[in-house]
Amino acid sequence: MSSDPTKLSRGRPKTLDRDHVLDVAMEAYWKGDIGSLSLNEICRRSGVSKPGLYREFSNEDGLMKAVIVRYQEQVLNPVQQMLQSENSFRETLDSLVSFATSTGCQHDSPMGCLFTKMRESRTQLGEATRAQVYLLEEQALAAFRQWVERSKAKGEFAADMSSEFAATYIDAQISSASSQLARGEDPKIVKKILSVAFSMLG
Amino acid sequence: MSSDPTKLSRGRPKTLDRDHVLDVAMEAYWKGDIGSLSLNEICRRSGVSKPGLYREFSNEDGLMKAVIVRYQEQVLNPVQQMLQSENSFRETLDSLVSFATSTGCQHDSPMGCLFTKMRESRTQLGEATRAQVYLLEEQALAAFRQWVERSKAKGEFAADMSSEFAATYIDAQISSASSQLARGEDPKIVKKILSVAFSMLG
DNA sequence: AAATTAAAATACCGAGCGGTATAAAAATGA
DNA sequence: TCATTTTTATACCGCTCGGTATTTTAATTT
């Protein structure tokens, strides 16, 4: 908004690499216990001083919100795109299951879903982060519901249930699968569970 | 083993009420964030001094293990009994679903299952507690598997899957439901989800 | 009554936490 | 050259944590 990214700053040039810090923090929260991971530890791992981190993100809540927003952009939005494709319900469902039971979307990303992890540890999050997670929840449910509605219109959704409930059901199963993966369960088993749980849908 | 419960102790008589402390701790862990609940807080709530608590339970790990053992005795064992009843698979399944989606088994117990909660926060538990949780996991899976096997023999289990996998599937669904309840979701919705997820079993 | 035993409560320990005051360092404009 | 601006790193604050050393209290045994 106000600052030109090229070079018309006055003071000492900043060396803090925001993206690097976010990468480190995202992986840390993704792999570890969100509630037990301290800011000090993030500083240590990213090689950034504590005041530097506070200037960039205000506080722990700010960092975590930035992390979940980044996760949304990098991981969740592609899934949402997938749900809007013109493929059949079954094809999209298979893609969804494959995505949910494999690593996030990058080279060496941890098992499970950071968003699911944050949902589960709601009570340990700051205000801003919790609000963002809540927003993502609503987006996910809406995306599932619209997908089901479109599939119903195409006659590809067989189960006798409201789109609202179907969305809740799909969300619950995907979250559960992500949770199991994060706990270290065998991805093949988790995938099989999802297949059975979705077998009556279409 | 060595001490007679009546009265042949020598020193100052103990006033610490072990059961009271366990009641307080169980409710605290059940309702709150296990990883964030401090021993200091348990002491405060139970009105017991910290050294008193350490004398009785050795350390935090000892207290948490005592709590989960108590939970097993009070809540989990009755469920295991239920799985061994002579009722039909459907009847038992309905009982299981009703149990899982209502309060634990007592008057004012919180939503969800303490065992499930501890499974989810494995990494934050001490050694002894984690070992006990692992033991309970194996017991639960074995109980489910034997239940399915007996139901198959009676021709009441319709789905085409191994008893091993069926047990894993049932366990995953029950855990997921408990998790949703603990997060505050509507028990009616959760029950409906379980019904759908179990609709193809028998 | 004196010695002994065990449980009680107070007060403390080192460590780590989220967060910040402070001052040195590195760039700019005059 | 020198003041100004901005970022940096060190060192610190108050607090809570899990766990314990210490002393007082209340009972039994001799």
Side-chain angles (χ1 to χ4, degrees):
Chain A
M1 224 180 269
S2 59
S3 72
D4 197 335
T6 52
K7 225 190 236 177
L8 27 131
S9 58
R10 280 248 296 167
R12 177 173 177 172
K14 87 154 44 172
T15 61
L16 185 146
D17 185 345
R18 191 177 209 268
D19 283 341
H20 172 64
V21 175
L22 282 178
D23 282 339
V24 170
M26 185 162 85
E27 181 170 352
Y29 288 133
W30 204 341
K31 280 187 182 172
D33 287 327
I34 293 180
S36 311
L37 244 164
S38 70
L39 264 189
N40 287 316
E41 186 60 29
I42 305 280
C43 289
R44 252 168 259 139
R45 296 192 193 177
S46 60
V48 166
S49 75
K50 212 169 359 168
L53 213 151
Y54 273 86
R55 181 131 32 70
E56 189 68 30
F57 300 104
S58 299
N59 51 34
E60 195 173 28
D61 194 17
L63 173 63
M64 290 187 59
K65 175 177 174 177
V67 165
I68 190 63
V69 164
R70 189 182 179 79
Y71 184 81
Q72 174 180 14
E73 293 164 357
Q74 292 189 355
V75 180
L76 263 26
N77 283 346
V79 182
Q80 207 145 354
Q81 293 291 328
M82 194 173 72
L83 293 181
Q84 291 166 6
S85 80
E86 292 301 325
N87 294 334
S88 72
F89 178 75
R90 255 301 143 194
E91 280 169 338
T92 304
L93 188 59
D94 286 345
S95 302
L96 185 64
V97 168
S98 291
F99 169 82
T101 56
S102 69
T103 100
C105 81
Q106 260 165 313
H107 36 87
D108 60 347
S109 46
M111 292 276 100
C113 166
L114 179 57
F115 167 51
T116 298
K117 217 168 174 179
M118 286 200 174
R119 281 173 97 172
E120 284 173 354
S121 36
R122 265 203 177 72
T123 56
Q124 306 180 40
L125 307 178
E127 259 188 74
T129 311
R130 197 164 49 237
Q132 189 67 26
V133 167
Y134 179 69
L135 201 141
L136 284 183
E137 282 183 346
E138 290 189 323
Q139 281 188 21
L141 278 179
F144 284 142
R145 198 190 62 238
Q146 286 159 19
W147 171 44
V148 168
E149 275 168 4
R150 285 190 357 260
S151 300
K152 277 184 179 176
K154 290 193 283 179
E156 295 170 354
F157 188 88
D160 178 29
M161 56 178 77
S162 72
S163 303
E164 186 80 31
F165 174 75
T168 305
Y169 182 80
I170 293 169
D171 179 63
Q173 295 296 335
I174 296 286
S175 297
S176 171
S178 159
S179 210
Q180 293 167 53
L181 287 172
R183 249 175 274 150
E185 308 229 17
D186 180 358
K188 290 184 181 176
I189 304 279
V190 175
K191 190 167 186 172
K192 214 167 148 190
I193 291 176
L194 273 188
S195 297
V196 173
F198 288 156
S199 60
M200 81 294 288
L201 290 190
Chain B
M1 224 180 268
S2 59
S3 72
D4 197 335
T6 52
K7 225 189 233 177
L8 24 132
S9 59
R10 279 252 292 171
R12 178 172 175 173
K14 86 156 44 174
T15 61
L16 185 147
D17 185 344
R18 191 177 209 268
D19 283 341
H20 171 65
V21 174
L22 282 178
D23 281 340
V24 169
M26 185 162 85
E27 181 171 352
Y29 288 133
W30 204 341
K31 280 188 180 170
D33 287 327
I34 294 181
S36 311
L37 243 163
S38 70
L39 265 188
N40 288 316
E41 186 60 29
I42 306 279
C43 288
R44 251 168 259 139
R45 296 192 195 177
S46 61
V48 166
S49 75
K50 211 165 6 164
L53 213 152
Y54 274 85
R55 181 192 324 288
E56 190 68 31
F57 301 103
S58 300
N59 50 34
E60 195 173 30
D61 193 17
L63 173 63
M64 289 187 58
K65 175 175 174 179
V67 165
I68 189 62
V69 165
R70 189 181 179 80
Y71 184 81
Q72 173 180 15
E73 293 164 357
Q74 292 188 355
V75 179
L76 264 25
N77 282 346
V79 182
Q80 207 146 355
Q81 293 291 328
M82 194 173 71
L83 294 181
Q84 292 167 6
S85 80
E86 292 301 325
N87 295 332
S88 72
F89 179 75
R90 255 300 143 195
E91 281 170 338
T92 304
L93 189 58
D94 287 345
S95 303
L96 184 63
V97 168
S98 291
F99 169 83
T101 56
S102 70
T103 99
C105 81
Q106 259 165 311
H107 36 87
D108 60 346
S109 47
M111 291 277 99
C113 166
L114 179 57
F115 167 52
T116 298
K117 218 168 174 180
M118 287 200 173
R119 282 172 96 173
E120 284 173 355
S121 36
R122 265 204 177 70
T123 57
Q124 307 180 40
L125 307 178
E127 259 187 75
T129 310
R130 197 163 51 238
Q132 189 67 26
V133 167
Y134 179 69
L135 200 141
L136 284 183
E137 282 183 344
E138 290 189 323
Q139 281 187 21
L141 278 178
F144 284 141
R145 198 189 62 240
Q146 286 159 19
W147 171 44
V148 169
E149 275 168 6
R150 284 190 358 260
S151 299
K152 278 184 177 176
K154 290 193 282 180
E156 294 170 354
F157 188 87
D160 178 28
M161 55 177 77
S162 72
S163 304
E164 187 80 32
F165 174 74
T168 305
Y169 182 80
I170 294 169
D171 179 64
Q173 296 297 336
I174 296 286
S175 297
S176 171
S178 158
S179 209
Q180 293 166 55
L181 287 173
R183 249 176 273 148
E185 308 230 16
D186 180 358
K188 289 183 182 175
I189 304 279
V190 175
K191 189 167 186 173
K192 215 166 146 189
I193 291 177
L194 273 188
S195 297
V196 173
F198 288 156
S199 60
M200 81 293 289
L201 289 190

